[in-house]
Amino acid sequence: SSDADGASGTPEKITLDYAYYSPTSLVLKEKGFVEEVFGEEVEVEYVLSQGSNKALEFLNSSSVDFSSSAGAAALMSKANGAPVETVYLYSKPEWTALVSGKDSGIDSVEDLRGKKVAATLGTDPYIFLERALKKHDMSTDDIELVNLQHPDGASALSNGDVDAWAGLDPHMAREELESGANLFYRDADLNTYGTLNTRTEFAENNPDVVKKVIEAYEKARQFAIDNPEETAEILAAEAELDLEVAKQSLERNDFSNAVPNQDVIDTITAAGDVLQDVEVIDQEADIDALTEEMINPSFAEEVIE
Amino acid sequence: MLAVEKVSRWFDEKKAGFQHVNLQLTKGEVIGVLGTSGCGKSTFLRVLSGLDEGYEGRIHSKKKNPSIGMMFQEPRLMPWLTVFENVLFGDDGSKKKEASELIDIVGLGGFENHFPKDLSGGMAQRVAIARSLLHNPDLLMLDEPFSALDAFTKLQLQELLLSIWETKPSTSILVTHDIDEALYLCDRILIMRGQPGEVESELVVDKPKPRHRGDRDLADMKEEILKELDFTND
Amino acid sequence: MLAVEKVSRWFDEKKAGFQHVNLQLTKGEVIGVLGTSGCGKSTFLRVLSGLDEGYEGRIHSKKKNPSIGMMFQEPRLMPWLTVFENVLFGDDGSKKKEASELIDIVGLGGFENHFPKDLSGGMAQRVAIARSLLHNPDLLMLDEPFSALDAFTKLQLQELLLSIWETKPSTSILVTHDIDEALYLCDRILIMRGQPGEVESELVVDKPKPRHRGDRDLADMKEEILKELDFTND
Amino acid sequence: MTIRTNTATLPASKKKKSKKKSLPFTDWWAGLLLPVVLIIIWETASRNGWVASHLLPAPTVVVEEMVTMGREGELWGHIGITLYRVLAGFVIGTAAAAILGVLTGSSKWMEKLLDPTLQALRAIPSLAWVPLFILWIGIGEASKITLVAVGVFFPVYLNLTSGIQGVDRKLIEVGRMYGFSTWKQVRKIVFPAAAPSFLTGIRSGLSLGWMFVVAAELLGTSQGLGYLMVFGQNTSSPELVIGSILLFAVFGKATDEILKRIERKSLQWQDRLDNSV
Amino acid sequence: MTIRTNTATLPASKKKKSKKKSLPFTDWWAGLLLPVVLIIIWETASRNGWVASHLLPAPTVVVEEMVTMGREGELWGHIGITLYRVLAGFVIGTAAAAILGVLTGSSKWMEKLLDPTLQALRAIPSLAWVPLFILWIGIGEASKITLVAVGVFFPVYLNLTSGIQGVDRKLIEVGRMYGFSTWKQVRKIVFPAAAPSFLTGIRSGLSLGWMFVVAAELLGTSQGLGYLMVFGQNTSSPELVIGSILLFAVFGKATDEILKRIERKSLQWQDRLDNSV
Ligand SMILES: Nc1ncnc2c1ncn2[C@@H]1O[C@H](COP(=O)(O)OP(=O)(O)OP(=O)(O)O)[C@@H](O)[C@H]1O
Ligand SMILES: Nc1ncnc2c1ncn2[C@@H]1O[C@H](COP(=O)(O)OP(=O)(O)OP(=O)(O)O)[C@@H](O)[C@H]1O
Ligand SMILES: [Mg+2]
Ligand SMILES: [Mg+2]
């Protein structure tokens, strides 16, 4: 927690977030890998993030020391002056898509014109929506964007309060399976990785802690690769989902690479450029430089090598 | 007009209030009530007016639901209304002219638009008098109406009462501490004493009105009343 | 002790209040103020006491910050305090015994624990009297202290005042509507009239106290005052 | 012809009086009438499927869920932590409001200096603080309690100052006659006279405190009734949402009732209809 | 020896009086003192990097951002829709509270029937309604305005009924002497006498209304000052958050000022210190 920022040496307590969109974090929490790595010496606390926006908010306010967000969301925060540093990838998911109700008649991005679309500002689905619209020469001015947290967006879609939703797993998987929602626009390349972030200052002052956390995450990732069944069960139990839904959502996760590499930088930079175009990121910001500065693979490289 | 039979109202386990009051009111009569402080005069008026229902005994009225006018011991003006509106209070607006006249008669001409907070004690009392005199109720009750007034204003307003009763006689009960006033205005005087108070005696003032303030008989009666009230007699 | 020079307090563009009052108070003196309703008596007391600073003229006191006691025209009891606590109001608790005695003297023994809402008008006034008499201020001002009391209670309390002044003489100003009372208690009487009120005349009552209520000279003075106040003289 | 008779042989005591006044049905079940009718309608509607159970589960379902949770023990932790947050914030907020209210109420100088700023801050809907508090203090207990305290502060402050300003000038003058110091004036006249307003303020403050604890717990908590509600919402279990709402109501009501008792007790001197014999 | 002299040749008019009382500095800048000092400290702190700008941007940055948005026009839509929601909810909530308050305040029977239910509902922190309203009414305007109305309702109702219950029995008896019907009693005595409480209630109601519009706009909106705030929060732009908070404060203050003026005007009859000449 925050008192660790200034002093070097091992802090007494570290706080991590966990999120339904990051199955690794659920495994991590459930199996106690962090406690295992640190032993008795530090206290570990978990906080639920409902979306990348919350995760980054908690990180910036020193409420958590490590937070799970989408890469582009982290960049957006960084561009606004937040001291975010990306140290690890917890997955390469295809976790977001544009979803419409079963009988809504919306089958393409063009159909969204003038419709109510739910999304969570500052998260990957929102960025995905912006980019999808951009590709089709539209913008958020052409639709009615309704800001809802991911689970609220899901229920708004099923209630018919909104016509479409920029969805996120596992809620999206549930809508897909349970109410037959239609994932009418998918593009795996527009998903910007699941990144584990910390504060720059925290990383500088506690390099050992960062490494140990990455170590724990590695254990969790390995577990998820080795035990897909049990991972699905953990996800189902935590997020109160059907096992089927959990499996569906896990299938769209790729746990093979954990070190932030050039692909990540490219993907995030591309997202950043679009966000700059649509004025979510300040015009004067230097996206390339920001991304370079934000992504720090050194810790992960050290641990995994 | 109104018959009161053995009516009592007690407070504090019969240590305060009044008790065993019998009274027959004939139409047009003016009754004075004299008594020591705290002997239950105001409470008696509250019981008669129906405000206090915790009494015992029987109150019996000839007319169904007689209209009652009451001037309380405190002015009880509505603080949010001006003098004029206060006098008109309880009226539907048809008596504006009478209200203006009454205000003039009680000597408050020019103060129509003042709020109660800007009035002197005596002025507030006069507003309350004017308010209670605007209507002609079957039964008019006045609780120490002139207590805050100087001798001359008081005399003037006593005349006002007399003249009003002359044109529109209404049965009235007047609580007062001023024996001269009671003798000058009333047909009958009740004298109360004690705690709880009881009616000690009743005095009929059998003189035609308007009376003469220096009247010999009245002076004699005053002596009598003073004796009656004197504590040293206990 | 206190010198008042050409003091005026106007309201409503000089249409109300009082004006041009001159007065010299000597220590231990008792001044009576008689006057028509609304002529500015209460306002005068408020100005003297320092509550109303909107006056003009000069008020000059020999002693620095003389202590002032005031009994207002209304009882002004604290509704959240009992009778006993109200009498003790403004005291640090050292006068509990005196307070009990005073309550008995004003005839309220047994009502110590009542709240003001459960008192009769006269009883509330007597609580206010007791409260103002608990202390011995340099200057004691009483605004119609006995207006709500019956004749006998009134006489008793007048005697009480006399006895208090005998043992601990304090300079006092007494506003009253009762001419007899003023003549019985005061060394000097101011008569005010008009709106805004002015001091019409000043009367020295040069008789040793205790006086005789039936005194011839006092009766003559009363006649004089009545003439002075009579409106028909205007 | 009208006859009014009261012929009881005993003096008209309090008891008799209230009996005389009371309506055909006694107090407590008149108050229960409406809720009971509503609950019966609700239960019937849910049981018969007139409303979808994912919108409004039957009251029995809700109660069952709560009882189960209570028996399993996890409920008590949530209740405890929420109560703690409300009480801590309430005490802090009330104390701050009382101190500042008395300061600005008793000194013109203080009022001119502080009141405009406080009024301007009051104009900020206190919920709007949430993001800033999270940013500045984090999502720990401190920020939750601060939020509750801020919520409690303003109604108490507003009611207290308006009560103080409304104190009858006549009574204040009595104190001035005794040469009271400002502080004594405040203590002996202004505060008691403003007590009814203050108590009203405290009661609305408490109810705002409960609201703010919801706001605080909606965001980044792992415990508390508010968390339970969010959890129910996120897992589409309306019985949890409604259950926690009911628990909020129960505890909000209970704490309010305590204040109400205190109010009754300390305002017996008021000359109001329901205080008379 | 003490001498008090007032020797002005004109009567002690209002003007003269207030001049005499006023402090060395005049009213308006005493009130501005504190905020100005705070803003200067804040600006200096941000400029010199004593606080991180991602936590607290300098006031000039905030104002700049707002001015830019104002010039580009997008700000006005947000302000307009928020004002509309507050006003609609305020009117509905106040009307409902006034009607129910007068009903329960004037009829014992109604009070016994309705008040317990209302008090129980009041005990539910109104924010807790948010998830249910969204579930039942959806996320459209209706649910937002209902939420604001619910927020406004309770303080108005509570203050009104407590004002009504506190009305001096002495005055009510005057009305009974005139044989007033209950309704006339209410109209001519109870309501005017309870007016100060009612107005206090309306003012706290309005301020709660502003709070609830934030709550309503935090969830599922695409427009409004609250949306702006969430947008700032989610995109880590504290200048947007603080900017919208300031706008909330400005509009909250402006609407409150209107009510305050009305209050002053209609309560001139009160015998309070600041009403005397
Ligand atoms: N605050 C005020 N604003 C305006 N006028 C006032 C104010 N206070 C008193 N007055 C006016 O000043 C005049 C004198 O009032 P004051 O109370 O001094 O009379 P008073 O001599 O005590 O009369 P009373 O014997 O009836 O008590 C009255 O006409 C009253 O209307
Ligand atoms: N609500 C009440 N509760 C308890 N005692 C009461 C109540 N009202 C009046 N009393 C008591 O009843 C007695 C009579 O009061 P009441 O007001 O009738 O006296 P009064 O004759 O009008 O006296 P005054 O001449 O002083 O006005 C008093 O002792 C008073 O304390
Ligand atoms: Mg009486
Ligand atoms: Mg006077």
Side-chain angles (χ1 to χ4, degrees):
Chain A
S1 62
S2 58
D3 37 79
D5 275 18
S8 45
T10 314
E12 285 172 8
K13 182 175 143 187
I14 60 167
T15 315
L16 299 97
D17 77 338
Y18 67 100
Y20 305 142
Y21 53 81
S22 167
T24 329
S25 71
L26 298 177
V27 172
L28 184 82
K29 169 167 169 281
E30 181 66 26
K31 293 291 169 189
F33 289 133
V34 181
E35 290 87 336
E36 203 173 283
V37 168
F38 281 98
E40 293 286 289
E41 54 194 300
V42 292
E43 194 190 332
V44 180
E45 195 182 292
Y46 295 95
V47 171
L48 173 73
S49 291
Q50 287 188 314
S52 299
N53 57 334
K54 293 287 161 200
L56 289 162
E57 196 182 344
F58 296 164
L59 184 72
N60 288 335
S61 64
S62 306
S63 300
V64 299
D65 302 315
F66 295 90
S67 78
S68 321
S69 79
L75 176 68
M76 203 164 72
S77 184
K78 176 86 183 171
N80 281 315
V84 183
E85 187 160 318
T86 297
V87 293
Y88 182 76
L89 298 181
Y90 56 78
S91 82
K92 177 183 191 288
E94 194 215 334
W95 55 15
T96 180
L98 297 186
V99 187
S100 62
K102 198 173 164 189
D103 309 311
S104 65
I106 294 176
D107 295 316
S108 70
V109 177
E110 275 85 4
D111 290 343
L112 289 178
R113 221 175 272 279
K115 292 284 189 334
K116 273 190 184 167
V117 184
T120 314
L121 293 172
T123 63
D124 220 20
Y126 163 70
I127 295 165
F128 182 84
L129 175 66
E130 287 278 11
R131 293 176 78 177
L133 291 171
K134 182 95 200 301
K135 273 199 171 170
H136 293 81
D137 289 325
M138 291 163 62
S139 79
T140 40
D141 293 338
D142 299 316
I143 62 171
E144 189 178 337
L145 177 66
V146 179
N147 178 50
L148 286 169
Q149 281 299 327
H150 303 305
D152 301 332
S155 44
L157 182 73
S158 63
N159 290 345
D161 278 338
V162 292
D163 303 302
W165 171 49
L168 183 76
D169 273 338
H171 313 287
M172 186 166 75
R174 163 150 68 190
E175 289 307 309
E176 190 180 1
L177 292 178
E178 286 180 0
S179 47
N182 173 22
L183 274 58
F184 67 89
Y185 184 78
R186 291 174 68 161
D187 186 343
D189 290 341
L190 295 188
N191 290 273
T192 61
Y193 292 89
T195 59
L196 185 69
N197 313 298
T198 184
R199 284 182 303 282
T200 314
E201 203 180 359
F202 184 88
E204 266 167 29
N205 290 328
N206 306 286
D208 294 338
V209 173
V210 177
K211 276 181 234 159
K212 282 188 171 175
V213 168
I214 292 175
E215 219 174 284
Y217 257 98
E218 274 300 288
K219 290 188 179 187
R221 181 167 71 100
Q222 205 53 51
F223 180 92
I225 294 170
D226 298 343
N227 308 293
E229 276 294 325
E230 198 178 339
T231 306
E233 275 163 25
I234 291 173
L235 176 57
E238 275 286 344
E240 299 223 331
L241 300 171
D242 284 343
L243 195 56
E244 284 309 307
V245 174
K247 280 185 184 156
Q248 171 89 332
S249 118
L250 270 180
E251 268 167 28
R252 295 199 276 251
N253 273 282
D254 171 7
F255 296 116
S256 61
N257 174 34
V259 182
N261 55 17
Q262 193 57 44
D263 287 347
V264 179
I265 294 177
D266 291 344
T267 309
I268 292 179
T269 314
D273 288 337
V274 174
L275 288 176
Q276 202 167 27
D277 273 0
V278 298
E279 292 183 23
V280 171
I281 289 181
D282 200 32
Q283 297 304 308
E284 275 118 61
D286 180 348
I287 299 294
D288 291 332
L290 281 171
T291 317
E292 282 298 340
E293 192 185 323
M294 180 177 82
I295 292 186
N296 178 2
S298 63
F299 295 103
E301 280 163 359
E302 240 176 275
V303 173
I304 295 170
E305 248 41 49
Chain B
M1 204 224 119
L2 197 78
V4 173
E5 284 169 34
K6 265 210 138 212
V7 166
S8 309
R9 172 64 166 115
W10 288 292
F11 296 105
D12 287 334
E13 291 153 7
K14 302 207 183 184
K15 281 208 296 269
F18 68 89
Q19 60 189 3
H20 313 318
V21 173
N22 295 304
L23 182 65
Q24 302 282 340
L25 279 176
T26 24
K27 207 166 147 42
E29 201 180 16
V30 178
I31 307 264
V33 179
L34 282 169
T36 48
S37 169
C39 71
K41 303 178 297 295
S42 303
T43 310
F44 181 54
L45 295 196
R46 289 171 54 79
V47 165
L48 282 189
S49 65
L51 284 179
D52 190 332
E53 299 186 329
Y55 65 94
E56 271 157 51
R58 234 167 96 104
I59 297 173
H60 178 123
S61 142
K62 266 216 185 97
K63 197 174 156 188
K64 209 173 160 179
N65 291 326
S67 68
I68 293 178
M70 168 94 134
M71 181 188 158
F72 294 91
Q73 193 167 357
E74 320 82 29
R76 300 200 181 182
L77 305 180
M78 303 296 145
W80 55 89
L81 298 181
T82 62
V83 167
F84 185 68
E85 291 162 344
N86 260 299
V87 172
L88 265 181
F89 189 82
D91 185 69
D92 44 13
S94 63
K95 295 209 167 181
K96 289 209 173 136
K97 226 182 104 246
E98 285 95 326
S100 285
E101 281 170 16
L102 265 174
I103 290 176
D104 281 342
I105 294 179
V106 299
L108 289 176
F111 288 89
E112 284 87 351
N113 293 320
H114 282 56
F115 284 113
K117 72 183 169 85
D118 296 335
L119 298 179
S120 81
M123 291 160 85
Q125 198 171 43
R126 283 180 278 159
V127 176
I129 295 172
R131 180 175 66 182
S132 70
L133 294 182
L134 186 65
H135 299 274
N136 304 302
D138 298 323
L139 178 60
L140 177 66
M141 294 192 267
L142 303 166
D143 198 350
E144 306 188 22
F146 308 131
S147 62
L149 300 179
D150 61 285
F152 270 86
T153 313
K154 193 188 241 179
L155 295 190
Q156 272 189 318
L157 293 181
Q158 289 169 358
E159 299 302 330
L160 171 66
L161 271 190
L162 279 185
S163 74
I164 286 180
W165 281 330
E166 214 164 291
T167 50
K168 320 167 234 175
S170 58
T171 319
S172 306
I173 302 182
L174 172 78
V175 171
T176 177
H177 284 315
D178 184 335
I179 302 173
D180 296 316
E181 181 173 293
L183 288 169
Y184 187 65
L185 294 176
C186 304
D187 304 320
R188 204 146 44 108
I189 297 175
L190 300 185
I191 295 163
M192 291 178 75
R193 263 183 77 175
Q195 213 157 9
E198 288 187 66
V199 175
E200 193 89 334
S201 58
E202 208 180 303
L203 220 90
V204 180
V205 188
D206 203 4
K207 285 246 165 190
K209 294 186 232 177
R211 294 170 190 152
H212 197 71
R213 282 186 199 271
D215 193 299
R216 268 291 168 99
D217 296 345
L218 294 187
D220 290 347
M221 281 188 179
K222 183 175 178 180
E223 276 303 301
E224 206 176 309
I225 295 173
L226 277 174
K227 261 192 218 124
E228 195 87 47
L229 277 171
D230 192 352
F231 282 108
T232 52
N233 265 5
D234 270 339
Chain C
M1 208 222 120
L2 197 79
V4 173
E5 284 170 31
K6 268 213 135 204
V7 166
S8 311
R9 173 63 167 118
W10 287 293
F11 296 106
D12 289 332
E13 291 153 8
K14 302 205 185 187
K15 281 209 295 268
F18 68 88
Q19 58 190 5
H20 313 319
V21 172
N22 294 304
L23 181 65
Q24 301 284 338
L25 279 176
T26 25
K27 205 165 150 43
E29 204 181 13
V30 178
I31 306 263
V33 180
L34 284 168
T36 47
S37 172
C39 71
K41 302 179 296 296
S42 303
T43 309
F44 181 53
L45 294 196
R46 289 170 54 78
V47 165
L48 282 191
S49 66
L51 285 178
D52 190 332
E53 298 187 329
Y55 65 94
E56 271 157 52
R58 230 167 100 102
I59 297 173
H60 178 122
S61 141
K62 262 215 186 99
K63 199 176 156 185
K64 211 172 159 178
N65 292 323
S67 69
I68 293 177
M70 169 95 136
M71 181 188 159
F72 294 92
Q73 194 166 358
E74 319 84 27
R76 301 201 180 181
L77 305 180
M78 303 296 143
W80 56 88
L81 297 182
T82 62
V83 166
F84 184 67
E85 292 163 343
N86 260 299
V87 172
L88 266 181
F89 188 82
D91 186 66
D92 44 14
S94 62
K95 296 208 166 180
K96 289 206 171 141
K97 227 183 104 245
E98 284 96 325
S100 286
E101 282 169 19
L102 266 173
I103 291 177
D104 281 341
I105 294 178
V106 301
L108 290 175
F111 288 91
E112 283 88 350
N113 294 320
H114 282 57
F115 283 114
K117 71 182 170 82
D118 295 336
L119 298 178
S120 81
M123 291 161 87
Q125 198 170 43
R126 284 180 278 157
V127 176
I129 294 173
R131 179 174 68 182
S132 69
L133 293 183
L134 187 65
H135 299 272
N136 304 300
D138 297 324
L139 179 59
L140 177 67
M141 296 191 266
L142 304 166
D143 199 349
E144 305 188 22
F146 308 132
S147 61
L149 300 179
D150 62 285
F152 270 86
T153 314
K154 195 188 241 180
L155 295 190
Q156 270 189 318
L157 292 182
Q158 288 168 357
E159 298 302 328
L160 171 66
L161 271 189
L162 277 185
S163 75
I164 285 180
W165 282 330
E166 214 164 287
T167 49
K168 319 169 233 178
S170 58
T171 319
S172 307
I173 301 180
L174 172 78
V175 171
T176 179
H177 285 315
D178 183 335
I179 302 173
D180 295 318
E181 182 174 294
L183 288 169
Y184 188 65
L185 294 176
C186 304
D187 304 318
R188 204 145 46 108
I189 298 175
L190 300 185
I191 294 162
M192 292 179 72
R193 263 184 78 176
Q195 214 156 10
E198 288 187 67
V199 176
E200 193 89 336
S201 59
E202 205 179 306
L203 220 91
V204 179
V205 188
D206 202 5
K207 283 245 165 194
K209 293 184 236 179
R211 294 171 188 152
H212 198 70
R213 282 185 200 273
D215 193 300
R216 268 287 167 101
D217 296 345
L218 295 187
D220 291 348
M221 280 187 181
K222 184 174 178 179
E223 275 305 301
E224 207 176 307
I225 295 173
L226 278 174
K227 263 196 213 118
E228 195 85 48
L229 276 172
D230 192 352
F231 282 108
T232 53
N233 264 4
D234 268 339
Chain D
M1 197 185 98
T2 315
I3 302 183
R4 284 186 282 141
T5 329
N6 282 2
T7 36
T9 42
L10 276 170
S13 70
K14 253 186 185 148
K15 221 159 138 205
K16 189 191 140 213
K17 190 71 189 299
S18 70
K19 208 169 141 200
K20 248 184 63 193
K21 261 195 180 169
S22 76
L23 304 165
F25 39 82
T26 39
D27 295 19
W28 60 272
W29 82 259
L32 281 182
L33 195 62
L34 197 59
V36 164
V37 167
L38 287 180
I39 287 178
I40 290 176
I41 294 178
W42 170 13
E43 179 80 31
T44 333
S46 292
R47 290 259 165 243
N48 298 341
W50 300 338
V51 289
S53 76
H54 79 276
L55 286 182
L56 190 63
T60 43
V61 174
V62 173
V63 171
E64 233 165 67
E65 172 83 18
M66 288 297 114
V67 169
T68 317
M69 285 186 72
R71 217 172 13 231
E72 287 170 2
E74 62 174 314
L75 198 56
W76 308 113
H78 291 303
I79 292 176
I81 191 84
T82 298
L83 272 178
Y84 160 72
R85 285 169 186 152
V86 172
L87 291 188
F90 175 69
V91 168
I92 295 170
T94 306
I99 292 170
L100 282 175
V102 167
L103 270 185
T104 58
S106 58
S107 146
K108 273 265 166 235
W109 199 87
M110 276 294 188
E111 190 189 338
K112 283 193 181 156
L113 193 71
L114 291 178
D115 200 61
T117 308
L118 285 173
Q119 294 291 345
L121 284 179
R122 187 176 80 86
I124 299 177
S126 337
L127 263 184
W129 290 114
V130 175
L132 282 186
F133 279 1
I134 292 182
L135 195 61
W136 294 340
I137 333 187
I139 53 170
E141 286 306 302
S143 103
K144 293 191 174 55
I145 290 174
T146 311
L147 194 64
V148 174
V150 168
V152 171
F153 179 85
F154 286 106
V156 178
Y157 177 78
L158 182 70
N159 272 281
L160 182 58
T161 49
S162 101
I164 287 178
Q165 277 161 18
V167 172
D168 193 339
R169 185 174 51 105
K170 291 197 183 66
L171 297 184
I172 293 183
E173 286 182 356
V174 174
R176 282 178 64 185
M177 277 298 87
Y178 283 105
F180 280 4
S181 65
T182 308
W183 169 236
K184 202 167 178 189
Q185 189 89 264
V186 168
R187 199 162 44 86
K188 299 200 73 161
I189 304 175
V190 175
F191 210 83
S197 280
F198 181 56
L199 285 167
T200 308
I202 280 194
R203 282 179 66 193
S204 28
L206 183 68
S207 102
L208 265 191
W210 277 102
M211 196 153 75
F212 274 78
V213 90
V214 178
E217 292 184 348
L218 288 180
L219 297 142
T221 6
S222 42
Q223 259 194 313
L225 289 175
Y227 168 79
L228 216 60
M229 205 168 76
V230 179
F231 187 80
Q233 190 187 4
N234 285 354
T235 55
S236 303
S237 343
E239 67 276 9
L240 257 190
V241 176
I242 294 177
S244 10
I245 287 182
L246 286 183
L247 284 179
F248 271 121
V250 168
F251 285 98
K253 183 82 191 162
T255 47
D256 185 59
E257 195 60 38
I258 295 171
L259 287 188
K260 200 171 177 176
R261 293 264 160 93
I262 294 173
E263 188 175 2
R264 274 270 158 80
K265 259 259 162 74
S266 52
L267 296 187
Q268 273 183 345
W269 51 267
Q270 277 198 326
D271 196 4
R272 340 189 299 187
L273 272 179
D274 56 343
N275 266 355
S276 62
V277 192
Chain E
M1 200 188 98
T2 317
I3 301 180
R4 285 188 280 139
T5 331
N6 282 1
T7 34
T9 40
L10 278 170
S13 69
K14 254 189 184 142
K15 222 162 142 202
K16 190 190 142 213
K17 192 73 189 300
S18 69
K19 210 170 140 200
K20 249 182 66 193
K21 261 193 184 171
S22 74
L23 304 166
F25 38 82
T26 38
D27 294 23
W28 61 272
W29 84 259
L32 282 182
L33 195 62
L34 199 58
V36 165
V37 167
L38 287 179
I39 287 178
I40 289 175
I41 294 177
W42 170 13
E43 178 80 32
T44 331
S46 294
R47 289 263 163 237
N48 297 340
W50 302 339
V51 291
S53 76
H54 80 276
L55 290 180
L56 188 62
T60 42
V61 174
V62 173
V63 171
E64 234 165 66
E65 174 83 21
M66 288 297 114
V67 170
T68 315
M69 285 185 73
R71 220 180 1 238
E72 285 169 4
E74 60 174 316
L75 198 58
W76 308 112
H78 292 304
I79 292 176
I81 191 84
T82 298
L83 271 178
Y84 160 74
R85 285 170 187 152
V86 171
L87 291 187
F90 175 71
V91 168
I92 296 171
T94 305
I99 291 169
L100 282 175
V102 166
L103 271 185
T104 58
S106 58
S107 146
K108 273 266 168 235
W109 200 88
M110 276 295 188
E111 191 189 336
K112 282 189 184 159
L113 193 72
L114 291 178
D115 199 62
T117 309
L118 286 174
Q119 293 291 344
L121 284 179
R122 186 176 79 87
I124 299 177
S126 339
L127 262 186
W129 290 116
V130 174
L132 282 187
F133 280 0
I134 291 183
L135 193 62
W136 294 341
I137 328 186
I139 53 170
E141 286 304 304
S143 101
K144 290 186 177 51
I145 289 173
T146 312
L147 194 64
V148 173
V150 167
V152 172
F153 178 85
F154 285 106
V156 178
Y157 176 78
L158 182 70
N159 273 282
L160 182 58
T161 49
S162 103
I164 287 177
Q165 277 163 17
V167 172
D168 194 338
R169 184 175 50 102
K170 292 198 182 68
L171 297 184
I172 292 183
E173 286 182 358
V174 174
R176 282 177 65 185
M177 277 301 87
Y178 284 106
F180 279 2
S181 65
T182 307
W183 169 234
K184 202 166 178 192
Q185 189 89 265
V186 167
R187 201 163 42 85
K188 298 201 73 161
I189 302 177
V190 175
F191 211 83
S197 280
F198 181 56
L199 286 168
T200 307
I202 280 195
R203 282 179 65 193
S204 27
L206 182 68
S207 104
L208 266 190
W210 276 103
M211 194 152 76
F212 274 77
V213 89
V214 178
E217 291 185 347
L218 288 181
L219 296 142
T221 11
S222 40
Q223 257 194 316
L225 288 177
Y227 169 80
L228 214 59
M229 202 168 77
V230 180
F231 189 83
Q233 187 186 5
N234 287 355
T235 56
S236 308
S237 334
E239 66 276 9
L240 259 189
V241 176
I242 294 178
S244 15
I245 287 182
L246 287 184
L247 284 178
F248 271 122
V250 168
F251 285 99
K253 183 82 194 164
T255 45
D256 184 60
E257 196 61 36
I258 295 170
L259 288 188
K260 198 170 175 177
R261 292 263 159 93
I262 295 173
E263 189 177 0
R264 274 270 159 79
K265 259 258 163 75
S266 53
L267 295 187
Q268 273 184 344
W269 51 268
Q270 276 197 326
D271 194 4
R272 339 190 299 185
L273 272 178
D274 57 341
N275 265 355
S276 63
V277 190

